């Protein structure tokens, strides 16, 4: 069942929160890109984006938050190749990832012992979609010729996404009762 | 809520978090791309032998088998002429000879006596000498079919080796050419040298895969290089190339900005006026309600009534102060418009 309650109007504070999360992502990705090798930089950046998107969704709890974060990240990191793609193609890839996350978030309303399965699954699936859509956009012929590598990369990304979601849940459980989060959520 | 229950719930959550984290870590370790972009779970380990297909010849005679063995000797010499290692081919050839001789050295002797072909004679003599040195435990049953299978495999291996040999030379040249252009070829160089090592160890299939990876890396680096170059070009030349469009947009923005700002101001003032008028009505109703509750129904004491009404009146006075300002904003603009229109008339 679709989570109708998630379709709410965005406030300025939501946009500010998104900007802060994307800023953290961009900052740490650039550092990772500088100091880590190709594949490790990719995995690190993917982990970061998964944490930020899951945390952002937990914080804002509105439909479209993930798409906003992914898109803004794509625009700010237009020329950073940390996810293996740059330019307009990066924006398309991240938009697809955002849509996949939103679909999982809105359609699967499953909660298990305080763990929101929809966010975990959304994060994992959207992370897995990144290498897939990147390779298809760049060259599907090359992808087909290296199908095994592509499958491995997709699976690795899936687990990175899942890990990112779990880390964000842990962060959220530590921070959810803090003053600034309560202030943000309820405007106290 | 019972604190014990909360604690149990937290513990369960922690356990699930730990399981999920361990699971994802395991998944990453298993599937994460290593240097050649292949994970550990699904490997592309295909050897030359896996790809080779034996086609049985129509003529399975002894003469044809000798011819095949001599052909394999030539294949080996060809590889040695290029300074390529031939350990596997040597082993295969020895095995083929054992299958040819079997346990029948007398048969070889008879064949030597029978043949008129000097090349066959020489080769059969060498086989006879070799046969005498084969230890009993290494003797294979006489099988010409196996001889043909092995000699075909040797030919296939030689062809494969030369194909990979050419591919390494081509990849090397490509890498040098790309490097000259300023493209980063570090990863490709590493893969090519790994392919070279595999090739020298006669792991031709591995070498071929590594070369394919190297080629992909080179193409990726090239794509990336040109993309970055193009982005730099775009950013450097954007203002120069689009100066006219930028100028036109700037003029339009400057000219239209005051009008748009005014329209937004009036729109916002109207919206606020409407909200305040509604709020004024509500506050008046609240005052009436408070009066009724205090004086008519005696539900609340006078002190509370006074506090409430004071608050309501304070809000009313705020609204009454704000409404004229908003009307002023709306009418001032309207007046200016009318005056402008009158002047034109």
């Amino acid at each position: 069942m679709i989570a109708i309650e998630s379709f709410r109007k965005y406030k300025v504070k939501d946009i500010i929160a998104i900007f802060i999360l994307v800023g953290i992502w961009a900052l740490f990705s650039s550092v990772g890109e500088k100091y880590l090798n190709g594949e490790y930089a990719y995995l690190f950046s993917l982990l970061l984006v998964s944490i930020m998107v899951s945390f952002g969704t937990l914080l804002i709890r509105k439909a479209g938050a993930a798409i906003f974060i992914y898109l803004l990240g794509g625009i700010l990191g237009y020329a950073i190749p940390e996810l293996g793609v740059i330019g307009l193609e990066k924006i398309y890839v991240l938009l697809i990832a955002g849509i996949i996350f939103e679909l999982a978030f809105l359609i699967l309303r499953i909660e298990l012992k305080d763990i929101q399965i929809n966010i975990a699954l959304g994060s994992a699936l959207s992370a897995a979609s990144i290498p897939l859509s990147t390779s298809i956009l760049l060259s599907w012929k090359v992808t087909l010729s290296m199908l095994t590598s592509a499958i491995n990369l997709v699976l690795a990304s899936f687990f990175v996404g899942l890990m990112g979601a779990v880390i964000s849940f842990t962060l959220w459980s530590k921070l959810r009762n803090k003053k600034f989060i309560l202030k943000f959520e309820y405007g106290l | 809520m019972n604190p014990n229950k909360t604690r149990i719930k937290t513990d369960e959550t922690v356990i699930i978090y730990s399981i999920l984290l361990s699971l994802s870590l395991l998944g990453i370790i298993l599937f994460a791309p290593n240097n050649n972009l292949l994970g550990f779970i699904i490997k592309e380990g295909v050897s030359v032998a896996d790809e080779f297909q034996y086609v049985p010849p129509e003529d399975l005679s002894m003469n044809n088998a000798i011819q095949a063995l001599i052909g394999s000797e030539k294949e080996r010499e060809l590889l040695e002429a290029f300074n390529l290692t031939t350990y596997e081919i040597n082993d295969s050839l020895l095995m083929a000879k054992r299958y040819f001789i079997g346990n029948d050295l007398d048969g070889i002797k008879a064949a030597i006596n029978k043949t008129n072909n000097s090349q066959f004679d020489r080769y059969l003599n060498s086989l006879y000498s070799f046969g005498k040195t084969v230890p009993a435990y290494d003797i294979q049953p006489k099988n010409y079919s196996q001889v043909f299978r092995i000699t075909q495999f040797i030919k296939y291996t030689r062809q494969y080796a030369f194909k990979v040999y050419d591919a390494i030379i081509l990849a090397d040249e490509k890498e040098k050419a790309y490097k000259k252009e300023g493209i980063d070829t570090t990863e490709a160089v590493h893969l090519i040298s790994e392919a070279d090592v595999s090739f020298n160890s006669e792991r031709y299939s591995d070498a071929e895969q590594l070369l394919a990876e190297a080629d992909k890396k080179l193409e990726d680096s090239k794509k990336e290089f040109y993309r970055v170059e193009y982005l730099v070009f775009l950013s450097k030349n954007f203002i120069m190339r689009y100066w006219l469009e930028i100028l036109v947009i700037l003029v339009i923005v400057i000219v239209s900005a005051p009008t748009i700002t005014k329209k937004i101001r009036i729109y916002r003032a109207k919206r606020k006026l409407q909200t305040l008028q509604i709020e004024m009505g509500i506050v008046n109703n609240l005052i009436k309600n408070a009066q009724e509750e205090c004086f008519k129904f005696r539900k609340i004491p006078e002190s509370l009534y006074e506090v409430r009404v004071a608050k309501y009146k304070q809000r009313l006075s705020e609204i009454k102060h704000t409404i004229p300002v908003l009307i002023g904003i709306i009418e001032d603009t309207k007046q200016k418009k009318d005056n402008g229109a009158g002047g034109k008339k």
Side-chain angles (χ1 to χ4, degrees), chain A residues 39 43 78-79 81 84-86 89 112-115 138-139 142 146-149 151-153 155-156 159-160 162-163 166-167 169-170 173, chain B residues 9 12-13 16-17 20-21 23-25 27-28 31-39 41-44 187 213 216-217 223-224 227-228 231:
Chain A
E39 283 88 13
L43 294 176
Y78 192 80
V85 61
I86 54 166
E89 281 155 353
L112 178 76
K113 307 270 177 208
D114 274 359
I115 298 166
L138 290 179
S139 167
V142 174
M146 301 178 70
L147 199 61
T148 319
S149 313
I151 292 169
N152 278 315
L153 201 58
L155 289 172
F159 285 107
V160 170
L162 185 65
M163 186 183 251
V166 177
I167 292 172
F169 291 153
T170 319
S173 66
Chain B
K9 202 177 172 187
E12 281 175 347
T13 312
I16 295 172
Y17 281 168
L20 280 175
L21 265 181
L23 187 75
S24 30
L25 198 65
I28 294 164
F31 300 110
N34 54 22
N35 284 337
N36 59 7
L37 260 171
L38 298 175
I41 286 290
I42 306 167
K43 286 201 172 185
E44 290 180 343
E187 282 179 86
E213 294 280 350
K216 196 197 161 278
K217 287 273 177 207
K223 218 183 253 181
E224 203 63 46
R227 206 176 278 175
V228 172
L231 280 175

